[in-house]
Amino acid sequence: MPGHFEPIPGGGAAVALDEVEISIIRSLAVQLLELIGPGPGGDASDDPLAELFAEGPSEPPSDPVLQRLFPDAYGGPGKEEATVDKADEQRAHSAEFRRFTENDLRAGKREDALAVIRSLDALTSAGEGGAVLKLSPEESLRWMRALNDLRLAIGTRLDITDEEDTDLLYRLPDEDPRKPMVMAYLWLGGLQETLVETLMP
């Protein structure tokens, strides 16, 4: 899938997408939205003030993708200080930090995914089953963050932890059941890279 973002006059970016590409990105964004879940009071809270002060979870999520999207703020202690007390202290700090930040982080990621879905739904066909997506500078930032989240999610499902893992993906045989996900991962990486380039001064 050769599409790549290009800068447009006045800021922002544009990319030509065919129907299959639009469908893939939209489907992945919807899946990400479902995985992140609704806000603390559901999708629509009657009391925005209560939602503002709602506390988030103190424990990390059980899903590996959500663990990657919402990691602990404080990593494990180094080898020289790997004591039980230090580990307990870091877990307590992480729990406290998570309690007051995760709801906002989830809300931001939901908004980014929704921005992707809305901009794709607003596309008008450019003929031959494709369309040109034009993003404002603000939309470009939302897309950049959403593409990053999508790649993190897919990468986690593929057990990608470093560059060597990515190199192995290029050599997967076509009959490997992971191949479609790998192709999506690599393609989204190309989109993300070219979008980042359009945002550089």
Side-chain angles (χ1 to χ4, degrees), residues 164 166-173 179:
E164 278 186 26
T166 306
D167 292 340
L168 291 173
L169 296 179
Y170 284 102
R171 298 194 289 274
L172 279 181
K179 190 74 172 191

Side-chain angles (χ1 to χ4, degrees), residues 16-183:
L17 299 169
D18 63 32
E19 284 184 358
V20 173
E21 293 167 335
I22 293 168
S23 175
I24 289 171
I25 297 173
R26 191 185 189 286
S27 173
L28 290 172
V30 167
Q31 290 175 52
L32 180 65
L33 205 54
E34 291 170 350
L35 183 64
I36 293 170
D43 284 322
S45 173
D46 292 333
D47 186 356
L49 200 57
E51 190 169 321
L52 181 66
F53 291 104
E55 292 184 1
S58 57
E59 293 295 319
S62 58
D63 187 294
V65 170
L66 292 177
Q67 288 175 21
R68 189 86 185 270
L69 293 174
F70 306 103
D72 274 336
Y74 300 89
K79 291 179 181 177
E80 71 285 350
E81 52 181 7
T83 64
V84 173
D85 287 345
K86 187 70 173 177
D88 287 345
E89 182 184 334
Q90 288 189 331
R91 274 195 292 273
H93 288 320
S94 286
E96 187 76 356
F97 188 83
R98 183 179 295 279
R99 199 157 58 94
F100 292 108
T101 60
E102 186 167 313
N103 284 345
D104 286 342
L105 290 172
R106 283 182 183 254
K109 290 182 185 300
R110 269 194 302 275
E111 283 304 312
D112 292 340
L114 275 170
V116 168
I117 294 166
R118 288 174 182 142
S119 56
L120 290 175
D121 287 349
L123 281 178
T124 54
S125 176
E128 296 293 321
V132 175
L133 174 70
K134 292 184 180 178
L135 303 175
S136 68
E138 182 185 346
E139 289 170 329
S140 295
L141 287 172
R142 288 198 175 278
W143 264 75
M144 182 182 66
R145 292 191 297 260
L147 287 172
N148 187 61
D149 287 343
L150 290 174
R151 290 193 77 236
L152 282 175
I154 296 172
T156 302
R157 294 289 189 237
L158 291 170
D159 290 323
I160 296 171
T161 56
D162 55 36
E163 200 62 39
E164 278 186 26
D165 294 333
T166 306
D167 292 340
L168 291 173
L169 296 179
Y170 284 102
R171 298 194 289 274
L172 279 181
D174 289 344
E175 59 272 16
D176 192 301
R178 296 171 295 172
K179 190 74 172 191
M181 198 179 287
V182 166
M183 296 303 292

